[in-house]
Amino acid sequence: MVHLLLLAAFAALTALVPGLALAGRVARHRWRTWLVAMALSAATWLSVVATESGTARLRAPVEPLLALAMVVSASVARRAWRHRPAVPPTA
């Protein structure tokens, strides 16, 4: 159950980052870190899928990169939430 909750949190947080980056709400160094972690994870995933069935032995080197991407995503989402534009009250 915990694994599914972490997977859902990861998917939600990583889905936010590209949109926030396009809106200009992500610092360049955070965006670069996130992009490198995701690119390395994707490249490893593609090579594992092409050669094996994705056993844990082959997934293990990528998991710290995915954890890094999740932490950076959470940081970006938290910063965007704290610095969101104020909405004027409606009449």
Side-chain angles (χ1 to χ4, degrees):
M1 183 69 168
V2 173
H3 180 71
L4 291 176
L5 290 174
L6 282 173
L7 182 62
F10 177 79
L13 287 171
T14 29
L16 287 174
V17 174
L20 290 171
L22 288 173
R25 310 264 322 260
V26 180
R28 187 176 301 266
H29 68 279
R30 287 191 176 129
W31 174 243
R32 205 173 302 141
T33 303
W34 185 86
L35 195 61
V36 167
M38 295 307 286
L40 288 172
S41 299
T44 305
W45 176 75
L46 286 172
S47 66
V48 166
V49 167
T51 60
E52 288 263 346
S53 62
T55 61
R57 174 181 64 86
L58 299 171
R59 264 191 342 257
V62 178
E63 288 175 354
L65 291 173
L66 294 174
L68 171 69
M70 185 171 172
V71 169
V72 170
S73 299
S75 170
V76 165
R78 181 174 177 254
R79 184 173 172 84
W81 180 259
R82 288 184 138 198
H83 296 97
R84 66 188 183 276
V87 177
T90 58

